[in-house]
Amino acid sequence: MTPLSQLLPGQFGKLASLNPERGVDQRLMALGLLPGMVLKLIRKAPLGDPLAIEFCGQVVSLRLAEAENLIVDVSADCPIQRPRQP
Amino acid sequence: MSSPDAGLLVALVGNPNTGKSTLFNALTGLRQRVGNYPGVTVSRKSGTCDLGDGQKVELVDLPGLYSLAAASPDEQVVIDALSGNIAGDRRPDAVVMVVDATNLLRNLFLASQVAELGLPLVLVLNQADVAKEQGLRIDTELLSRRLGGVPVILTSAWKGEGIPEVRRGLAEALSRRTPMKRVVWPTDIAGALADVAQAASTDTGKAISAADAQRLLFDTNASTAERLGWTLERREKPVRSARERVRNSGYNPMAAEPLVHYAQLRVALDGVVAEGLGKAGRTAAVDRLLLHRVLGPVLFLGIMLGFFASVFWLAKFPMDWIQLGVDWTKGVVAPPLEPYPMLQSLVADGILGGVGAFLVFLPQILILFLFIGILEDSGYMARAAFIMDRLFSWCGLNGKSFVPMLSGFACAIPSLLSTRTIEDPKARLATAFVVPFMSCSARFPIYALMCAAFIGPLYGPGWESLVMVGMHCVGLVFAVPTAFVLTRLVLKVKPQPFVLELPRYQMPKPRDVVWRMWQNAAEFVSKAGTVIFAITIIVWALSYFPRDASVAERIRAEHPTESAEKVKARVQAAYVEQSYMGRFGKAIQPAFDPLGFDWKITVGVLASFPAREVIVSTLGVTYSVGEGAEADSQDLRKAMQDAKWTEGPRTGSPIFSLAAVLALMVFFALCSQCGPTIATLAQETGGWKWAAGSFVYMTTLAWIVSMAVYQFVIRLT
């Protein structure tokens, strides 16, 4: 179990848990990022923050501090469903 | 709002970046009206849409959003509009739901939430051409059946494909009134929703819709409860116990809504989309270049510099033409009015000056919005925010603050209008508040005059350019801490998380970009224009009246040998000196004495409050060089270099000492001296409170810093 913020660019992970009480997580859930979903860290911004992640066929940027609370499982048999590049 | 024919109102709803505006423009053919929703700075765009059979409906383009869980003002407007809770607006009769055909699942979440409102709905799968390129085949008939028989239409609004079908589909939806299939809630959630609706209805005596009940149960914000008048103490217990019921059934109440919707949408979409062989999009490849760790920022700087230089330099020519046009009109109108000097001055200096003062901003506004439109519609704006966010996040702003702040160096007015691209209301307000600190082009003349007259001759061209650059940074130095304090301590608005979609790159559609540019310009002229005009007339009147003919006679008698032109300049100066503005300037000169300003500079400062560039021509008048003085005027430089204090403890020493010169420039760098900016700030922040705050803050800050500079430098020199 790893915080999303520690993923390396190009690495996949399966979302293990998020905190539905937080505004950021509510936003991400509305975009379709739900527990069990596979995501990929595409890149970090040139200054190291924010991050660009890919899930559900879309690329979304979020800040490092907010990604720390999203826990992903990197050992799960990812990629189950390789997210399609938009 | 009046509506045509049958008076039917249709709402256009969809996620951002789905080509919703392009579809709106295609459906209404630019027969549009732009206004504002009451109380918020969300613009209301509506137009007449022909359904093809002669029937016309009013189509309203609601702001793009991802979810009905209201977090921002834009999202709140959509919910209120869809449920008919906006003053002066009816509940729509149907919804055109625009979704991105390449990402049905994500887009249908919002559609599924909207379905809960029970309105007839047409589902438009836009960007079908891109989906086809990617090898996606979508079975629209199957999807329509799965969603309860609503019309499902494939379009490419960019290419204008499928538009007649949307019109037909909308006519069909309006006559058959088919709503989209609603989500089936698990028993306990359905029970909890019923509990909440029952309790709210009992407490408020109002009928609670299914959609309202969901917002009450699932959302952390209280906007729905507040609208219904359901007080915190009354709702706290029933809402908590309903949420407890959801939790006991195995769902986190804050996550239940997306979980249930997404699970059922996956089932509904099963077999609808067939993935065939297709070209992978270019977006990922372009991003590898544009978001590259080294090349990304380099290209970003290049693009932004090009953008800024264009706003700055391209606008110069039309601005000069407008100035020439205004001067020419003055030349035509003024001479016939020679027998009526008051009327002549009112028309030439007041009315034409006032019109010119805001018309001159139009080119910058048009060009800025042209570029912002291109940046937004192409998808690069989101990347710019991604690259810059780190530099802005620590002081409470975000990556989207960059473009408004950069363009503030050209002109604050279009920059303020462009803060609308910032979704987070807190960051938007803070950005709008600091934009006027950026050293706009209207500050240039006073810097140029002071540097050329004093810094250059005394210390050489090296120092001259250094001071020039320094003055452009003064505002920025104070803007950043201001934003920091404002977002940390003053603004109580909850910040929005910076979750930003990096959409697919797309070629901007010229018609959309040009149309939006035009709408923004028209809004500026109609709103800010009137205020600017009024302020200019007031300042004109203050510096014109009273005008006693004996003053002119006295000057002529005192200087019988001088040339007519020189006497005229002296008369002008004398009139200004004894005008209300002049008297006021003299009266409050003691307030500016610690800054080293004599009464003439003080009058210049006062007259510059509507438009700071006026300082140069006002100094021209008060130092009796004549009107129309320019920053490069030799006479004015000479007059200022020779100016000495004639009274007080500084008698005999030059007025424009190094300390006073620096203090004057710093004052102009920081002071809020721009009527249009204040008017636009009021318009963009939804009231005069922030505009007044900005005026008081900047003016006070300018006085303090300028005083500190003067007192410090005068002791050194």
Side-chain angles (χ1 to χ4, degrees):
Chain A
M1 293 297 160
T2 328
L4 173 59
S5 51
Q6 287 177 18
L7 247 55
L8 298 171
Q11 200 177 4
F12 287 87
K14 190 174 182 176
L15 186 67
S17 77
L18 41 66
N19 177 0
E21 318 282 331
R22 290 198 323 155
V24 188
D25 301 43
Q26 285 168 7
R27 286 258 140 161
L28 292 169
M29 284 191 296
L31 292 172
L33 187 67
L34 299 165
M37 163 110 12
V38 174
L39 56 85
K40 178 186 175 188
L41 182 79
I42 305 264
R43 64 169 52 80
K44 295 182 175 182
L47 294 168
D49 184 20
L51 314 171
I53 58 169
E54 185 183 334
F55 58 91
C56 273
Q58 62 192 331
V59 181
V60 169
S61 144
L62 76 161
R63 287 184 180 155
L64 206 57
E66 289 158 348
E68 269 166 15
N69 297 307
L70 294 167
I71 308 300
V72 292
D73 183 357
V74 285
S75 61
D77 45 352
C78 299
I80 306 169
Q81 46 174 105
R82 227 188 108 77
R84 203 160 32 81
Q85 286 276 337
Chain B
M1 314 255 165
S2 66
S3 52
D5 284 15
L8 290 176
L9 181 67
V10 174
L12 189 64
V13 185
N15 286 177
N17 311 311
T18 49
K20 191 164 66 69
S21 295
T22 309
L23 181 71
F24 178 73
N25 288 345
L27 283 172
T28 59
L30 308 187
R31 280 163 301 178
Q32 302 177 2
R33 290 174 294 281
V34 186
N36 248 332
Y37 282 105
V40 282
T41 48
V42 179
S43 50
R44 182 190 191 276
K45 261 175 39 172
S46 71
T48 306
C49 171
D50 198 323
L51 298 188
D53 53 0
Q55 199 190 354
K56 289 190 172 70
V57 296
E58 186 185 359
L59 188 67
V60 52
D61 185 16
L62 295 176
L65 78 174
Y66 294 107
S67 157
L68 284 190
S72 74
D74 280 22
E75 291 162 339
Q76 191 59 49
V77 159
V78 177
I79 299 159
D80 289 344
L82 287 177
S83 40
N85 291 315
I86 287 188
D89 233 349
R90 288 160 299 134
R91 184 170 197 252
D93 299 284
V95 171
V96 175
M97 186 78 212
V98 195
V99 307
D100 178 355
T102 65
N103 192 351
L104 285 184
L105 180 65
R106 203 276 315 272
N107 279 260
L108 283 177
F109 173 65
L110 178 66
S112 181
Q113 280 185 320
V114 170
E116 294 294 307
L117 294 158
L119 293 166
L121 186 141
V122 186
L123 192 64
V124 176
L125 314 186
N126 195 25
Q127 301 171 336
D129 52 332
V130 184
K132 199 173 166 191
E133 254 178 46
Q134 294 184 359
L136 303 177
R137 268 174 303 131
I138 301 168
D139 188 340
T140 51
E141 260 173 52
L142 180 62
L143 183 60
S144 168
R145 270 207 307 284
R146 294 259 177 87
L147 298 179
V150 294
V152 176
I153 297 145
L154 280 171
T155 62
S156 168
W158 207 105
K159 294 183 174 168
E161 291 167 8
I163 306 301
E165 286 81 355
V166 177
R167 296 184 203 277
R168 273 203 296 281
L170 184 53
E172 186 194 324
L174 282 166
S175 63
R176 283 178 37 213
R177 309 200 59 78
T178 332
M180 187 172 133
K181 183 175 178 290
R182 290 168 58 172
V183 77
V184 181
W185 297 104
T187 325
D188 278 304
I189 298 181
L193 284 167
D195 292 348
V196 168
Q198 177 67 45
S201 164
T202 313
D203 285 349
T204 63
K206 289 176 185 149
I208 306 297
S209 68
D212 281 343
Q214 289 163 25
R215 302 276 54 89
L216 290 169
L217 181 67
F218 298 133
D219 290 0
T220 35
N221 76 71
S223 52
T224 307
E226 276 159 14
R227 173 167 55 73
L228 294 166
W230 200 18
T231 56
L232 179 64
E233 50 212 15
R234 300 210 116 184
R235 71 174 184 261
E236 204 176 8
K237 228 184 104 203
V239 169
R240 185 156 11 95
S241 71
R243 285 185 182 160
E244 210 44 50
R245 186 169 174 185
V246 175
R247 197 181 299 277
N248 290 339
S249 71
Y251 283 101
N252 182 317
M254 299 291 111
E257 192 185 22
L259 280 172
V260 172
H261 277 289
Y262 271 105
Q264 293 181 20
L265 284 173
R266 277 182 202 285
V267 176
L269 281 175
D270 183 48
V272 167
V273 184
E275 284 190 40
L277 281 177
K279 282 187 291 182
R282 285 179 298 271
T283 294
V286 177
D287 267 347
R288 267 195 288 282
L289 180 71
L290 289 182
L291 297 181
H292 185 270
R293 257 188 312 159
V294 182
L295 277 177
V298 171
L299 288 167
F300 169 80
L301 280 179
I303 291 170
M304 288 302 149
L305 277 178
F307 159 76
F308 180 67
S310 315
V311 175
F312 209 79
W313 296 113
L314 271 182
K316 252 183 94 83
F317 304 102
M319 283 168 92
D320 288 347
W321 300 335
I322 289 175
Q323 200 58 57
L324 280 176
V326 171
D327 291 345
W328 180 83
T329 317
K330 268 189 205 173
V332 171
V333 179
L337 295 172
E338 200 73 60
Y340 319 99
M342 203 269 288
L343 193 64
Q344 186 193 32
S345 177
L346 172 68
V347 171
D349 304 329
I351 297 176
L352 284 174
V355 171
F358 77 83
L359 271 190
V360 101
F361 294 113
L362 257 188
Q364 285 188 337
I365 290 186
L366 290 170
I367 295 174
L368 186 69
F369 273 102
L370 182 69
F371 278 94
I372 288 178
I374 293 171
L375 289 179
E376 285 235 297
D377 289 2
S378 64
Y380 188 71
M381 190 67 110
R383 272 76 182 180
F386 180 70
I387 293 173
M388 292 308 288
D389 186 58
R390 187 72 196 90
L391 285 182
F392 286 90
S393 58
W394 69 272
C395 61
L397 305 176
N398 71 39
K400 289 205 164 179
S401 310
F402 180 77
V403 167
M405 283 173 73
L406 175 76
S407 42
F409 279 93
C411 176
I413 293 135
S415 320
L416 286 172
L417 297 176
S418 72
T419 55
R420 288 186 181 188
T421 55
I422 305 170
E423 289 90 358
D424 176 6
K426 191 170 183 170
R428 182 193 294 181
L429 196 51
T431 308
F433 198 83
V434 298
V435 155
F437 279 94
M438 301 303 118
S439 190
C440 67
S441 50
R443 286 169 168 107
F444 196 81
I446 185 70
Y447 298 162
L449 174 66
M450 290 293 139
C451 286
F454 300 101
I455 309 292
L458 292 176
Y459 302 94
W463 280 102
E464 188 177 340
S465 32
L466 199 68
V467 170
M468 218 47 189
V469 172
M471 284 302 145
H472 279 87
C473 300
V474 170
L476 197 60
V477 167
F478 285 91
V480 172
T482 298
F484 185 86
V485 171
L486 202 59
T487 50
R488 294 294 155 101
L489 304 175
V490 183
L491 287 175
K492 297 292 179 218
V493 197
K494 212 176 120 203
Q496 292 288 301
F498 189 66
V499 172
L500 181 75
E501 185 186 1
L502 302 180
R504 183 170 50 232
Y505 286 110
Q506 208 170 17
M507 188 56 75
K509 197 171 169 68
R511 184 181 70 173
D512 294 347
V513 174
V514 170
W515 184 239
R516 198 165 35 188
M517 166 182 96
W518 180 246
Q519 284 175 331
N520 280 311
E523 206 181 333
F524 166 72
V525 170
S526 69
K527 293 237 179 86
T530 47
V531 178
I532 298 159
F533 189 71
I535 299 175
T536 319
I537 298 286
I538 292 170
V539 170
W540 168 81
L542 287 178
S543 43
Y544 188 85
F545 295 107
R547 184 160 282 232
D548 198 339
S550 64
V551 174
E553 282 160 25
R554 199 193 69 224
I555 299 283
R556 282 195 198 98
E558 279 173 15
H559 304 275
T561 52
E562 281 187 352
S563 70
E565 204 173 312
K566 244 184 161 169
V567 171
K568 204 179 163 200
R570 280 185 192 278
V571 170
Q572 257 182 9
Y575 271 137
V576 170
E577 182 172 358
Q578 56 86 61
S579 71
Y580 293 119
M581 182 72 86
R583 292 175 197 188
F584 185 53
K586 280 192 158 174
I588 69 159
Q589 188 274 332
F592 286 95
D593 197 66
L595 285 65
F597 298 177
D598 70 340
W599 76 266
K600 292 175 180 179
I601 304 178
T602 307
V603 169
V605 166
L606 290 179
S608 308
F609 272 98
R612 51 174 65 87
E613 63 273 26
V614 166
I615 180 69
V616 175
S617 61
T618 313
L619 287 177
V621 173
T622 49
Y623 283 95
S624 28
V625 179
E627 240 177 59
E630 301 281 342
D632 51 7
S633 154
Q634 287 296 340
D635 290 346
L636 179 55
R637 280 185 210 171
K638 183 91 179 49
M640 285 178 6
Q641 283 159 354
D642 295 344
K644 297 239 175 0
W645 289 93
T646 52
E647 53 194 350
R650 284 177 284 214
T651 304
S653 65
I655 291 171
F656 290 92
S657 58
L658 176 66
V661 165
L662 290 176
L664 184 59
M665 284 193 282
V666 167
F667 189 85
F668 272 78
L670 295 175
C671 192
S672 170
Q673 292 171 309
C674 183
T677 298
I678 296 295
T680 315
L681 196 59
Q683 176 194 318
E684 289 306 303
T685 55
W688 290 95
K689 194 181 80 176
W690 285 102
S694 161
F695 180 80
V696 171
Y697 175 69
M698 289 184 71
T699 306
T700 315
L701 186 73
W703 189 89
I704 294 171
V705 177
S706 178
M707 193 263 293
V709 167
Y710 181 77
Q711 298 298 338
F712 182 69
V713 178
I714 202 83
R715 278 166 178 76
L716 284 185
T717 49

